[in-house]
């Protein structure tokens, strides 16, 4: 059908960048080839075909494929050579979907504007060279001023997963104490949306200590408070909201659902 032909055409055109112009090794890093191409394919379909610019959920189908792979217990380490995967489904979803999620989620860590700047800087610095994923991450570090090699290691060199939960919400005098829990092994920064009763929503940002930095506020026209960094070795993290518990209607981890949290059901609290 038309949509299938269009999607394939956009995808193959995208290969002019990944891996052709960058001359990346598609056998050693299949996700760096197919995943990045899938990312710009969905980006193009969202902005050009559907006329939905700045749609942070344009890559949701890749997230769902990745979640399926995790739940099937068929994950294989993404550093596996492209010809040596035990199952084709493990290769396909890892290369195309998890690789796409890797890029989308990088935008969650460093900010969408910095992600676009990274693409442009990467083209300028590495066109016509035999680049590697380390080159791309190093470029993102230069653009964002953050440390990011941990992300490449955790998400594309292991089968570790992301899972954060709102473990407890309790009254603390005239304030509300919130305790978050890291269930998965992979650390992530946290965007936390607070919706009070009868007041404007606001957000909290909890950087992961491994980045040694933070991103700009992704919620335009919304007040944001940056809290102290969460160290990866600590399984829980607590802070207080300067409102009584009775005045808080909803709390949500990553309300835009850009982090590849494998269990989104424990990301919400409603009073």
């Amino acid at each position: 059908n038309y949509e299938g032909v269009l999607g394939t055409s956009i995808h193959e055109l995208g290969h002019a960048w990944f891996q052709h112009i960058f001359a990346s090794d598609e056998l050693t890093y299949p996700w760096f080839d197919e995943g990045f191409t899938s990312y710009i394919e969905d980006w193009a379909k969202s902005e050009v075909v559907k006329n939905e610019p700045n749609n942070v959920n344009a890559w949701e189908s890749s997230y769902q494929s990745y979640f399926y792979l995790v739940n099937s217990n068929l994950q294989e380490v993404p550093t596996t050579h492209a010809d040596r995967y035990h199952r084709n489904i493990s290769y396909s979803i890892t290369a195309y979907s998890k690789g796409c999620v890797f890029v989308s989620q990088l935008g969650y860590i460093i900010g969408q504007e910095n992600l676009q700047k990274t693409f442009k800087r990467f083209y300028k610095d590495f066109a016509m060279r035999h680049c590697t994923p380390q080159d791309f991450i190093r470029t993102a570090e230069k653009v964002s001023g953050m440390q990011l090699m941990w992300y490449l290691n955790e998400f594309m060199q292991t089968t570790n997963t992301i899972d954060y939960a709102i473990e407890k919400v309790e009254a603390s005098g005239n304030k509300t104490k919130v305790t978050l829990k890291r269930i998965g092994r992979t650390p992530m920064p946290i965007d936390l949306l607070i919706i009070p009763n009868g007041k404007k929503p606001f957000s909290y940002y909890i950087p992961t200590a491994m980045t040694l930095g933070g991103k700009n506020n992704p919620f335009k026209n919304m007040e944001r408070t940056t809290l102290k960094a969460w160290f990866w070795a600590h399984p829980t993290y607590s802070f207080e909201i300067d409102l009584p518990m009775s005045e808080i209607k909803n709390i949500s981890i990553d309300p835009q659902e850009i982090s590849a949290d494998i269990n989104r059901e424990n990301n919400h609290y409603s009073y």
Side-chain angles (χ1 to χ4, degrees):
N1 58 42
Y2 172 75
E3 288 189 3
V5 173
L6 178 63
T8 300
S9 300
I10 295 172
H11 184 90
E12 300 310 324
L13 178 61
H15 276 304
W17 285 266
F18 303 99
Q19 86 291 0
H20 298 162
I21 282 180
F22 296 111
S24 58
D25 186 342
E26 61 181 325
L27 294 178
T28 303
Y29 312 110
W31 61 269
F32 192 40
D33 171 21
E34 299 294 356
F36 276 53
T37 301
S38 296
Y39 179 85
I40 59 176
E41 172 195 348
D42 289 341
W43 188 358
K45 286 192 292 187
S46 177
E47 292 220 9
V48 179
V49 180
K50 298 179 180 180
N51 194 27
E52 296 177 351
N54 304 314
N55 178 11
V56 296
N57 298 119
W59 302 274
E60 182 60 23
S61 62
S62 289
Y63 281 80
Q64 293 303 321
S65 294
Y66 166 64
F67 294 152
Y68 170 81
L69 183 64
V70 171
N71 292 327
S72 70
N73 293 318
L74 296 178
Q75 276 204 98
E76 297 183 45
V77 181
T79 54
T80 303
H81 191 276
D83 289 340
R84 296 298 301 149
Y85 276 81
H86 184 57
R87 294 177 176 85
N88 182 65
I89 189 173
S90 303
Y91 161 78
S92 298
I93 295 179
T94 300
Y96 289 80
S97 300
K98 189 175 183 180
C100 175
V101 171
F102 172 85
V103 188
S104 174
Q105 192 169 235
L106 180 61
Y108 174 74
I109 297 171
I110 68 175
Q112 299 300 326
E113 292 181 2
N114 278 335
L115 179 60
Q116 294 192 23
K117 290 178 182 178
T118 297
F119 272 114
K120 294 178 180 179
R121 174 74 177 268
F122 187 63
Y123 180 86
K124 179 181 178 181
D125 292 349
F126 288 98
M128 303 303 177
R129 297 175 61 182
H130 293 279
C131 63
T132 67
Q134 287 79 4
D135 295 323
F136 185 81
I137 282 296
R138 185 71 187 102
T139 302
E141 289 181 330
K142 292 176 181 177
V143 170
S144 67
M146 301 165 71
Q147 296 294 312
L148 299 167
M149 284 295 178
W150 64 270
Y151 175 55
L152 176 62
N153 170 260
E154 283 288 330
F155 202 67
M156 298 312 296
Q157 296 175 355
T158 75
T159 56
N160 294 343
T161 57
I162 301 161
D163 185 10
Y164 281 87
I166 299 175
E167 184 177 51
K168 189 184 300 183
V169 178
E170 54 192 336
S172 178
N174 290 326
K175 299 182 179 182
T176 301
K177 183 178 180 181
V178 179
T179 300
L180 308 179
K181 184 175 183 180
R182 178 180 57 78
I183 301 171
R185 291 190 60 182
T186 299
M188 273 286 133
I190 300 293
D191 286 332
L192 204 70
L193 177 66
I194 314 297
I195 301 179
N197 287 311
K199 296 181 180 180
K200 292 182 178 180
F202 57 93
S203 68
Y204 286 99
Y205 172 54
I206 306 172
T208 177
M210 300 173 78
T211 62
L212 300 179
K215 66 177 177 181
N216 293 331
N217 186 359
F219 306 110
K220 305 301 182 184
N221 303 318
M222 183 184 295
E223 181 182 346
R224 183 185 78 164
T225 300
T226 299
L227 301 177
K228 65 180 181 180
W230 187 342
F231 287 84
W232 72 269
H234 298 175
T236 60
Y237 182 102
S238 297
F239 67 98
E240 289 187 337
I241 301 173
D242 195 18
L243 285 174
M245 186 173 171
S246 60
E247 292 187 18
I248 295 177
K249 181 179 180 181
N250 185 273
I251 303 174
S252 296
I253 296 174
D254 180 27
Q256 296 177 304
E257 296 187 340
I258 310 176
S259 176
D261 192 308
I262 62 171
N263 182 10
R264 291 172 173 173
E265 292 184 1
N266 58 18
N267 290 4
H268 306 280
Y269 161 83
S270 296
Y271 181 73

